[in-house]
Amino acid sequence: MSQNQFTVAVIGGGTMGAGIVEVAASAGHPVRLYDISAEAITRAIDGIRQRLESRVSRGKLSAEQAQALLSRITPATELSQLADAQLVIEAASERLEIKQALFSQLAEICSPSALLTSNTSSISITAIAAGIKHPERVAGLHFFNPAPVMKLVEVVSGLATSAEVVEQLCACVSRWGKQAVRCRSTPGFIVNRVARPYYAEAWRALEEQVASAEVIDAALRDGGGFPMGPLALTDLIGQDVNFAVTCSVFNAFWQDRRFLPSLLQQELAIAGRLGKKSGHGVYRWPVETQPELAEPTLAADAAAQVAISDNVTKLDGVLLLETCGETALALSVRHGCPVVVYDHSAGDTVVLAASATNSPAETDKAIYYFQQQGKKVLRIADYPGLLVWRTVAMLANEALDAVQKGVACAEDIDTAMRLGVNYPRGPLAWGESLGWGTVLRLLENLQQHYGERTLPPECTAAPKGATGDAS
């Protein structure tokens, strides 16, 4: 595949296909858009035209540039019209048999030097390439929605994909203004695999009635620094879509319990409460509810003498500890005094949980202490690992497992999670900054509580190349 403006073919006129057409045409390529439905092709091109007109009206693009871009897009109603394409990007239905049939036909129609790629987010590239001629030129080219805006592209190698093809695709993606990350074809690739704990821990907390959905989302958003709370994000993605991806990853990993789907999310999907697109999911849309903040019940008496030594804070007789994955009650029994545990906080909000043996006045001292530091305080039930810490630890451990199994390098995993789902930091850089020993200790304590759902502790160790700040 030469570096000149070669012809690109896109198969599928849906949201992703249309977005990829726009990306390729914006880079100056002649683009063939194929779909079995002529109406889908028309809708896709009309949608591109409307987006371009919006950019022209906002002064982001000239009318001449918009017209030139549209002139490079040609409808194709027969696969044979893609014969001269040097790069084919398939964005059709997420069904293996459909993709295999398409790629088998493309291998006969297109030149042996043409690169055949799939935008699949979950189907094995090895399976798609099985049985076709020259499987070494088949790869995954996974864009993120909306493709014209999102910078990340996962370049996925199947078992037969050649290193040269991967390099060609990465160079092409870079010329298109995107950031390529390399990964091996395994369930979920990088982003859809490593992101599972972000949703799973929130669903588990909601199922176990640890806190309301509003509090859980606020904890991760305002305390953890994530751009959106996990439950609101599943509403935005669509409960049916997010649940299907979770089930796909769960089944592809032979039903490993760390990817266990949520029965509560299944109920929402079955009920048609799909989130924003249906008007009702976890929340009613538009979302207007706010989390209830914790307030001292006896503010005048809440002030305490503060003593800090060896990273342990004492408020009069109350022990204030950052969570290590144990409950406040267990710590209170061990230390023989009232205990309040607090969550990792990277924002203006902190999450607290108190031992059931505390008096209200004892817990109030901790609430008041953080309020005096300008923090909003969210109180939840006594829950091992609280919300932010356990989520970050599980994300870091999942990312580390992907590194150790050769799915991708540490740098590409952190890049993928920052650009693909807008995490404030890459999970590996985050794990390193918090301390791998601390992450391990928290995971070991969670494993004591949950058993096999968490990864074996021996999987947690600092990965090669996971140094420095990935933010």
Side-chain angles (χ1 to χ4, degrees):
M1 188 173 68
S2 62
Q3 293 189 17
N4 59 14
Q5 299 304 68
F6 52 84
T7 297
V8 175
V10 177
I11 298 175
T15 301
M16 287 305 301
I20 296 167
V21 166
E22 185 177 333
V23 170
S26 295
H29 296 276
V31 183
R32 308 264 196 277
L33 172 57
Y34 170 81
D35 195 288
I36 56 173
S37 166
E39 293 178 358
I41 297 173
T42 300
R43 283 196 302 270
I45 295 175
D46 285 346
I48 294 170
R49 182 180 291 107
Q50 291 170 15
R51 288 194 295 274
L52 295 177
E53 288 173 351
S54 175
R55 292 177 63 193
V56 170
S57 69
R58 290 181 285 118
K60 302 292 185 181
L61 193 71
S62 71
E64 292 76 18
Q65 288 173 317
Q67 186 55 46
L69 190 156
L70 286 167
S71 71
R72 289 192 283 271
I73 303 171
T74 304
T77 55
E78 301 289 339
L79 275 179
S80 59
Q81 293 173 275
L82 311 184
D84 62 340
Q86 291 181 265
L87 171 61
V88 180
I89 306 172
E90 172 271 320
S93 173
E94 284 286 88
R95 292 171 56 189
L96 176 59
E97 63 272 19
I98 290 176
K99 294 184 188 296
Q100 286 178 325
L102 270 172
F103 276 72
S104 181
Q105 293 176 72
L106 290 168
E108 298 293 338
I109 292 167
C110 298
S111 163
S113 64
L115 304 189
L116 308 180
T117 69
S118 175
N119 182 59
T120 181
S121 61
S122 60
I123 295 176
S124 164
I125 300 301
T126 298
I128 291 172
I132 75 163
K133 292 181 179 179
H134 305 293
E136 69 279 356
R137 40 86 174 260
V138 177
L141 210 55
H142 181 215
F143 290 76
F144 287 75
N145 190 31
V149 176
M150 298 296 284
K151 292 292 186 184
L152 184 71
V153 179
E154 292 177 322
V155 179
V156 187
S157 300
L159 199 59
T161 309
S162 75
E164 181 184 4
V165 164
V166 171
E167 293 306 315
Q168 287 180 303
L169 290 172
C170 288
C172 176
V173 163
S174 179
R175 291 194 299 272
W176 290 0
K178 305 294 185 183
Q179 175 66 56
V181 291
R182 298 166 174 82
C183 63
R184 187 163 53 83
S185 181
T186 56
F189 308 143
I190 298 175
V191 172
N192 278 327
R193 172 184 177 170
V194 176
R196 292 348 291 166
Y198 188 61
Y199 312 113
E201 296 309 313
W203 284 114
R204 193 164 309 283
L206 192 62
E207 287 174 340
E208 296 180 1
Q209 303 182 69
V210 172
S212 68
E214 292 85 355
V215 167
I216 293 168
D217 276 348
L220 274 297
R221 182 187 65 237
D222 303 330
F226 291 90
M228 195 173 198
L231 299 171
L233 182 55
T234 59
D235 261 2
L236 189 64
I237 293 167
Q239 296 301 340
D240 52 342
V241 174
N242 186 260
F243 181 69
V245 173
T246 299
C247 290
S248 174
V249 173
F250 175 62
N251 289 320
F253 275 100
W254 311 116
Q255 301 187 342
D256 188 318
R257 290 187 63 81
R258 74 180 193 270
F259 300 112
L260 186 68
S262 162
L263 290 174
L264 180 54
Q265 187 178 29
Q266 178 178 250
E267 286 289 287
L268 291 177
I270 291 171
R273 288 176 49 172
L274 306 182
K276 185 178 180 181
K277 63 186 175 184
S278 70
H280 193 191
V282 175
Y283 301 99
R284 288 192 179 276
W285 288 77
V287 180
E288 297 176 351
T289 55
Q290 296 295 322
E292 182 178 350
L293 299 176
E295 295 290 345
T297 55
L298 302 169
D301 300 324
Q305 292 292 321
V306 180
I308 302 175
S309 62
D310 297 326
N311 295 320
V312 174
T313 301
K314 289 186 177 180
L315 310 174
D316 293 338
V318 180
L319 202 57
L320 186 60
L321 300 171
E322 185 171 24
T323 183
C324 61
E326 295 181 89
T327 64
L329 178 59
L331 292 166
S332 179
V333 170
R334 180 185 308 159
H335 292 285
C337 65
V339 170
V340 175
V341 291
Y342 64 94
D343 213 343
H344 172 66
S345 178
D348 66 355
T349 299
V350 66
V351 177
L352 303 181
S355 169
T357 56
N358 288 12
S359 71
E362 289 165 339
T363 301
D364 281 352
K365 293 180 187 297
I367 296 172
Y368 187 77
Y369 172 76
F370 281 107
Q371 287 178 333
Q372 291 301 103
Q373 298 177 39
K375 294 279 190 180
K376 298 174 184 176
V377 179
L378 298 172
R379 186 175 172 186
I380 67 171
D382 192 9
Y383 192 52
L386 300 183
L387 296 173
V388 180
W389 238 120
R390 69 188 280 147
T391 299
V392 172
M394 294 291 278
L395 287 168
N397 207 35
E398 192 59 48
L400 181 57
D401 190 55
V403 172
Q404 293 179 331
K405 290 189 168 80
V407 173
C409 69
E411 181 181 359
D412 276 358
I413 289 173
D414 274 356
T415 297
M417 302 313 291
R418 286 189 297 107
L419 297 183
V421 279
N422 295 317
Y423 284 0
R425 303 183 71 178
L428 293 166
W430 213 343
E432 181 172 330
S433 71
L434 293 172
W436 286 111
T438 307
V439 172
L440 175 59
R441 182 185 176 198
L442 189 138
L443 288 170
E444 286 177 328
N445 285 329
L446 288 179
Q447 191 178 38
Q448 289 294 317
H449 190 84
Y450 288 107
E452 63 181 8
R453 191 177 67 80
T454 57
L455 283 175
E458 60 267 26
C459 287
T460 306
K464 294 180 181 178
T467 57
D469 190 333
S471 61

